[in-house]
């Protein structure tokens, strides 16, 4: 028999910031305290498949700067963030890089690309 776990969670989808109570039983999620249907969807994702947008900086060989801001094109599994950042630390970049360039496609099979958040011309 599955044990029920009770969690308090704040929905961060909109500024309303609903405080929700979430009951987790196996892979089932029962949510209360939300003001719209996005709350339970957010809670289920947070419990069953938590994802985050990865934002960080990478070293770049250039005349002007030493680092460039990068981010993931979509949410990536929260439990893969450390491994992804380790991979980005080992990856060498050289200018020029344009904002939106794909630095690493489908990072660790997540389906998300790592893209440049700014441009470095030379
Ligand atoms: S449950 Fe709906 S109203 Fe509440 S914070 Fe989430 S998106 Fe906003």
């Amino acid at each position: 028999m599955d044990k029920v776990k009770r969690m308090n969670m704040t929905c961060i989808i909109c500024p309303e910031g609903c405080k929700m109570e979430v009951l987790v039983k196996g892979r089932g999620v029962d949510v209360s305290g939300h003001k719209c249907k996005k709350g339970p969807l957010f809670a289920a994702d947070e419990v069953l498949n938590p994802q985050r947008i990865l934002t960080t900086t990478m070293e770049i060989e250039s005349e002007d700067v030493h680092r460039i801001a990068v981010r993931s094109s979509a949410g990536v599994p929260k439990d893969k963030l450390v491994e992804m950042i380790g991979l980005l630390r080992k990856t060498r970049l050289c200018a020029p890089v344009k904002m939106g360039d794909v630095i690493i496609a489908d990072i660790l099979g997540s389906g998300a690309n790592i893209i440049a958040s700014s441009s470095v011309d030379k």
Side-chain angles (χ1 to χ4, degrees):
M1 190 161 189
D2 289 325
K3 205 170 152 188
V4 176
K5 184 175 167 192
R6 184 184 305 267
M7 304 167 68
N8 292 315
M9 191 180 291
T10 301
C11 178
I12 59 171
I13 299 296
C14 86
E16 191 73 30
C18 294
K19 307 279 185 224
M20 303 184 293
E21 184 178 85
V22 182
L23 299 177
V24 183
K25 186 176 178 186
R27 293 194 63 79
V29 179
D30 187 25
V31 181
S32 60
H34 53 285
K35 291 183 180 160
C36 80
K37 62 184 179 186
K38 292 179 185 172
L41 296 174
F42 170 78
D45 279 349
E46 277 297 290
V47 170
L48 303 174
N49 183 28
Q51 301 215 338
R52 295 290 183 272
I53 297 291
L54 187 162
T55 59
T56 187
T57 60
M58 293 176 67
E59 283 187 36
I60 185 167
E61 288 182 25
S62 118
E63 290 178 15
D64 300 326
V65 297
H66 301 292
R67 301 197 74 81
I68 182 171
V70 298
R71 66 177 175 82
S72 59
S73 59
V76 296
K78 193 176 168 186
D79 63 357
K80 295 278 186 194
L81 286 173
V82 171
E83 190 179 354
M84 289 177 177
I85 288 170
L87 178 62
L88 296 178
R89 284 202 179 126
K90 290 185 216 157
T91 304
R92 303 197 73 79
L93 279 180
C94 294
V97 172
K98 286 197 174 9
M99 185 167 65
D101 279 357
V102 174
I103 308 298
I104 298 177
D106 189 23
I107 185 165
L108 297 181
S110 65
N113 299 328
I114 298 300
I115 59 176
S117 298
S118 59
S119 298
V120 177
D121 295 330
K122 54 186 176 153

